[in-house]
Amino acid sequence: MYNRTEFIAKAQEWIEAHKEEIIAELQGFARIRSVSRADLAEPNAPFGPECRTMLDYALNRTREMGFEAIDHEGYCGEAAMGDINNAIGIIAHLDVVPEGDKWVYPPYGATRVEDDFLIGRGVGDNKGPAIVGLFAMRMLREFGWPLKHGLKLIGGLSEETGMQDMAALRKMGHRFPDTSLVPDAGFPVNYAQKGMVDGAITTPCEGNLLQLDAGSVRNGIPDEAACVIAADVEAVRAA
């Protein structure tokens, strides 16, 4: 058994050796548009056909890597190894927010620039971390070290729209791991999520401001904003 320093060195060596494979895998995931749409629900696709396509792809790749792959009725997918009744969880999500307009690079091109950067919707949030979790499992399996716990990677499909995937999993009677990592922000500042708080602040337009529009969803940065302002037309012409 390696000590911590030796393990980190060995892990870094393994990651470097598999760097191109990891990048290619992430590009495959990120090129699939997977906006969660419960309004387009179909049998076994509660978040619409795009998310179903994403889930099928992810489960297939999981099986090709030699892991047990579980489809939880289209709400999320699971990759597992070892003692899953005594597992450490890795909770990720494969849905993305709508891409909007005015991208310099194709939003689902997973374009590689400057060698180590990928640009595309979902690359960082959260398909990248999901891929990292999958390859971490593969690395530990290849090292062949005995583990005290199994590992369970869960990829949801509605994190961006309210986490109905996790709620559904709970209703199915799924037992979540006692300890899970949620790689959706920089560890260790954020290593878990217990839910979401959502709200809206409204105020009437006053004065010259008649209308303000920006973006299409709350959790996406708008590509543009526009407002309508009342003005004295004659004064503007005179100016």
Side-chain angles (χ1 to χ4, degrees):
M1 181 64 68
Y2 292 85
N3 61 34
R4 183 175 184 275
T5 300
E6 290 173 327
F7 171 78
I8 292 175
K10 186 174 178 65
Q12 289 176 333
E13 180 181 346
W14 190 94
I15 292 169
E16 185 60 31
H18 293 81
K19 172 182 172 181
E20 293 303 318
E21 188 178 353
I22 294 170
I23 291 173
E25 194 70 51
L26 175 53
Q27 286 179 312
F29 274 63
R31 285 173 178 150
I32 299 174
R33 188 179 192 271
S34 52
V35 177
S36 189
R37 293 285 303 274
D39 60 313
L40 299 178
E42 300 174 351
N44 209 35
F47 305 116
E50 289 183 352
C51 283
R52 182 69 250 182
T53 298
M54 181 72 255
L55 181 57
D56 287 338
Y57 182 89
L59 291 172
N60 183 57
R61 291 299 300 133
T62 296
R63 294 187 187 99
E64 289 176 349
M65 288 190 185
F67 295 108
E68 180 182 7
I70 303 171
D71 179 357
H72 292 290
E73 300 181 20
Y75 286 93
C76 59
E78 178 180 321
M81 63 177 284
D83 182 3
I84 61 174
N85 293 319
N86 183 31
I88 293 174
I90 305 171
I91 313 297
H93 66 91
L94 303 176
D95 61 311
V96 298
V97 298
E99 64 274 12
D101 299 314
K102 296 182 173 57
W103 282 69
V104 175
Y105 296 91
Y108 298 104
T111 306
R112 186 172 181 178
V113 296
E114 297 182 12
D115 189 42
D116 289 338
F117 288 89
L118 294 182
I119 298 176
R121 178 63 88 223
V123 165
D125 183 13
N126 190 240
K127 295 177 182 180
I131 294 297
V132 169
L134 190 60
F135 273 84
M137 292 170 61
R138 178 177 157 186
M139 178 185 70
L140 291 172
R141 184 187 62 191
E142 291 184 10
F143 285 174
W145 297 336
L147 301 176
K148 295 181 179 179
H149 300 271
L151 292 171
K152 181 184 293 189
L153 170 62
I154 298 175
L157 291 161
S158 71
E159 192 272 351
E160 300 290 3
T161 55
M163 298 181 73
Q164 294 89 345
D165 46 4
M166 297 297 105
L169 204 56
R170 174 66 73 183
K171 289 181 180 178
M172 294 176 199
H174 181 83
R175 182 184 178 277
F176 285 90
D178 293 333
T179 300
S180 293
L181 300 178
V182 182
D184 208 337
F187 182 87
V189 174
N190 178 319
Y191 66 94
Q193 290 180 326
K194 296 187 69 175
M196 299 174 66
V197 176
D198 192 8
I201 298 175
T202 61
T203 182
C205 291
E206 298 179 347
N208 290 347
L209 180 62
L210 302 181
Q211 182 177 326
L212 175 64
D213 295 297
S216 58
V217 293
R218 295 181 182 180
N219 54 345
I221 299 174
D223 47 40
E224 64 180 4
C227 65
V228 178
I229 298 175
D232 184 331
V233 177
E234 294 303 324
V236 170
R237 288 176 177 172

